[in-house]
Amino acid sequence: MLKHKFSAGFLLVSIFSLLVGLSGFLAVNREMGFSGALIFAIYMSPFVFIYGIFVSWLISKIVKPVNARNSGVYVILHGFGGLPFAAVFIPSQSSAALLFTAALGAFFAILFALIELALIYVTNKGRIGWLSLYLPLPLYLAVFIIGQIQSVPAPSEEAVLDDPGYSVREAAAIVTERHGYGENGGFPPETGKVEHWNMFGERFTRETVIETVPGEKEAYYVTLVEKNMDRQEVYKTTYLTSENNVELHNRVSEQQE
């Protein structure tokens, strides 16, 4: 049974990480992100492979054998087993965030159980059922290839960056690229634009603010501003950048009024 559980965990992580990577098709001015899919998979894996499989193993000790007659009970118990996910891994002062993550944990656990039951069924029919584990691999490859194609800058953008002198746009692009702009609610590479995103029931915004350095030519302060709209917290990281140098200048956190 453990091999089915680990296989179900792999497929569950793959499904949601691929959805993150493919979300660029549905969003405006967003690129398909292989790195975003990979980061999400790395972040999600400990929850699934440590907490999820352990809880599922305990349930399989209660419900056995797992067959068509008791599969409903098996799935429901997984749903209850996923509820503590919020309190154990995502402690929050917000009751809305706690309820959201509890529901999310239950949803993941139920989906995990359904995938496991499907794997048990297809693999009992023969070894060909294990080929289902290879399905995410060509999809990951497709996400990677399309992401590489989309990452090639347009000629007009290249022309701007090749203009004489060190521009504001270059400074913003260099700093924000280090923080994964264009993926997973990253910092926008231009001023006046605000990225909105959600994580575990909390709302965030990110924007980039650029200021010239007094008395310095072609040198800029690039500040990455992240706001937690639910906790009313603001995090600011400022870099001092010139043509051949990018260094951390300041990092502060403050309570939003």
Side-chain angles (χ1 to χ4, degrees):
M1 288 292 289
L2 276 178
K3 63 182 179 181
H4 290 105
K5 295 185 187 300
F6 278 97
S7 300
F10 169 71
L11 290 176
L12 180 64
V13 170
S14 297
I15 289 171
F16 285 94
S17 61
L18 283 168
L19 286 176
V20 171
L22 293 169
S23 63
F25 278 131
L26 305 177
V28 179
N29 297 325
R30 289 285 301 277
E31 296 177 354
M32 176 178 293
F34 178 77
S35 61
L38 185 62
I39 291 170
F40 188 84
I42 293 172
Y43 182 80
M44 186 177 178
S45 292
F47 300 123
V48 173
F49 287 100
I50 298 175
Y51 175 79
I53 290 179
F54 176 72
V55 170
S56 182
W57 176 79
L58 290 178
I59 294 172
S60 64
K61 292 296 182 181
I62 300 172
V63 180
K64 59 180 182 180
V66 178
N67 52 37
R69 292 180 57 188
N70 54 25
S71 59
V73 175
Y74 188 72
V75 171
I76 292 172
L77 287 177
H78 273 76
F80 283 112
L83 289 174
F85 166 82
V88 174
F89 290 103
I90 318 291
S92 174
Q93 298 178 354
S94 170
S95 58
L98 191 64
L99 289 173
F100 174 81
T101 50
L104 191 64
F107 172 74
F108 282 152
I110 290 172
L111 190 55
F112 175 93
L114 292 174
I115 294 173
E116 182 190 2
L117 291 173
L119 278 173
I120 292 173
Y121 176 79
V122 297
T123 53
N124 284 342
K125 297 297 182 180
R127 292 185 177 181
I128 194 172
W130 290 107
L131 292 176
S132 58
L133 295 179
Y134 294 94
L135 291 177
L137 301 181
L139 295 177
Y140 275 118
L141 181 61
V143 170
F144 175 75
I145 293 173
I146 298 175
Q148 292 299 307
I149 294 172
Q150 290 187 337
S151 66
V152 177
S156 59
E157 293 181 354
E158 288 290 336
V160 172
L161 296 179
D162 289 338
D163 285 344
Y166 184 65
S167 67
V168 170
R169 182 168 183 172
E170 284 180 282
I174 289 172
V175 172
T176 55
E177 187 175 19
R178 296 185 173 194
H179 293 262
Y181 72 83
E183 296 176 1
N184 296 332
F187 293 93
E190 65 269 358
T191 58
K193 181 179 179 181
V194 179
E195 294 282 356
H196 297 266
W197 58 298
N198 296 284
M199 179 174 284
F200 298 112
E202 294 190 342
R203 299 168 299 144
F204 295 84
T205 64
R206 283 181 173 177
E207 61 181 310
T208 304
V209 178
I210 304 175
E211 300 174 295
T212 58
V213 179
E216 297 287 340
K217 184 179 180 181
E218 296 181 359
Y220 309 96
Y221 290 120
V222 180
T223 302
L224 307 178
V225 182
E226 178 178 284
K227 298 179 181 179
N228 186 316
M229 306 302 291
D230 294 302
R231 301 187 185 184
Q232 299 296 307
E233 295 173 345
V234 182
Y235 311 96
K236 297 180 181 179
T237 304
T238 302
Y239 291 88
L240 174 60
T241 173
S242 58
E243 188 168 9
N244 298 311
N245 183 57
V246 177
E247 61 183 57
L248 180 64
H249 176 70
N250 191 22
R251 181 179 285 135
V252 297
S253 62
E254 56 192 41
Q255 201 70 24
Q256 190 176 10
E257 296 182 359

